[in-house]
Amino acid sequence: MAVLHDLIHLFYPESCPGCTNSLVDGEQRICLDCLSRLPKTGYASIHDNKVARLFWGRVDLAKATAVYFFEKDSRLQGLIHALKYMGQGKLGLYLGRLMAQELDRSHWLDDIDILVPVPLHSKKKRHRGFNQAEMIARGIAGFKLPWEERALKRIRHSSSQTKKSRIQRWDNMNSIMAPGKSVKQIVGRHVLLVDDIVTTGATLEACAHVLLEQGAAKVSICTLACTFT
Ligand SMILES: [Zn+2]
């Protein structure tokens, strides 16, 4: 699936990364068929949704949501693959704008003061050329909200997580995030943490702890997709 996407993109750069069909006039970045079929969670209007529950007892969040359900071999997987591994950073801005439209329906963004993307390790960011969470956050922010990518800093890779015990993993995650250069921007404000996908929530949890310790008034979480339904 992934290799096919890469090959098709190489020869037909104007194809939809969700389904690999060619884009027609009037379609931007994603075809209308994929746009209409992205599986929405509707979680923005459900306060105790599954994403919010994932963090219960772990970190005190004002609210949490994911906009779409992530399924293997789905159109959304194609989009996320294009964003992360095929250098389509602008697709992140586009997806962020789509998310903002969905969130605005239930006025979910109205009480947010500033957006903070989950940081990538600087080496990984150099390799990829951009941080996909930052592109999504910028898309959500639009002209309405400020965003600050240097509020947090990832201090090392969180690789080979699966081979560690639960306690080792917890320790590992809690020492991967640190305050960044611009952490003062979040003091006394309602911060929205943004990432592409939530699975275990460990990285987002580590970020939220740092933001609260550093004086954020409230922290909320929003991701493009969640891996559970
Ligand atoms: Zn498509």
Side-chain angles (χ1 to χ4, degrees):
M1 181 83 179
V3 175
L4 183 68
H5 266 292
D6 291 350
L7 277 175
I8 288 174
H9 183 71
L10 197 64
F11 294 107
Y12 303 100
E14 288 299 292
S15 64
C16 169
C19 64
T20 71
N21 289 332
S22 296
L23 292 178
V24 297
D25 279 355
E27 289 178 341
Q28 283 187 333
R29 305 222 170 263
I30 304 174
C31 77
L32 292 175
D33 193 36
C34 281
L35 263 185
S36 65
R37 288 172 196 242
L38 288 178
K40 293 174 188 171
T41 62
Y43 283 171
S45 50
I46 307 168
H47 190 74
D48 62 344
N49 63 64
K50 285 189 181 173
V51 178
R53 284 182 197 191
L54 183 67
F55 295 97
W56 285 2
R58 293 164 68 179
V59 62
D60 193 15
L61 299 176
K63 55 188 178 180
T65 192
V67 176
Y68 302 108
F69 291 120
F70 180 90
E71 285 155 9
K72 225 173 167 296
D73 295 328
S74 65
R75 292 160 193 259
L76 189 59
Q77 186 178 25
L79 297 178
I80 292 174
H81 180 82
L83 169 63
K84 287 171 83 164
Y85 306 112
M86 289 159 67
Q88 292 199 33
K90 284 189 178 157
L91 182 59
L93 293 175
Y94 182 88
L95 290 168
R97 285 198 294 271
L98 276 186
M99 291 166 71
Q101 282 171 19
E102 278 306 307
L103 297 170
D104 272 344
R105 276 184 228 277
S106 44
H107 302 280
W108 204 86
L109 294 168
D110 288 5
D111 61 342
I112 302 294
D113 297 319
I114 187 167
L115 278 73
V116 169
V118 169
L120 274 188
H121 191 273
S122 55
K123 265 190 204 161
K124 209 166 180 181
K125 186 174 171 180
R126 265 199 304 279
H127 178 73
R128 190 169 291 169
F130 58 88
N131 171 3
Q132 73 278 2
E134 186 183 325
M135 299 307 274
I136 292 171
R138 283 169 54 185
I140 297 174
F143 300 109
K144 289 195 301 188
L145 288 163
W147 48 276
E148 179 52 70
E149 79 278 17
R150 288 162 305 173
L152 293 169
K153 191 175 179 211
R154 196 185 279 254
I155 40 189
R156 59 188 167 82
H157 287 294
S158 54
S159 54
S160 61
Q161 287 280 307
T162 44
K163 287 181 184 156
K164 296 190 174 88
S165 75
R166 209 181 138 86
I167 293 187
Q168 280 174 322
R169 253 199 321 264
W170 188 86
D171 251 8
N172 193 34
M173 289 313 293
N174 276 278
S175 55
I176 67 159
M177 289 297 164
K181 266 189 227 161
S182 307
V183 74
K184 290 277 176 285
Q185 297 297 325
I186 59 97
V187 174
R189 305 177 90 179
H190 184 174
V191 182
L192 179 60
L193 258 173
V194 177
D195 208 357
D196 51 351
I197 299 190
V198 56
T199 304
T200 66
T203 309
L204 285 157
E205 181 188 347
C207 291
H209 279 302
V210 174
L211 292 170
L212 289 167
E213 279 161 21
Q214 294 296 317
K218 289 185 210 172
V219 175
S220 291
I221 284 173
C222 177
T223 62
L224 172 66
C226 58
T227 54
F228 37 89
T229 54

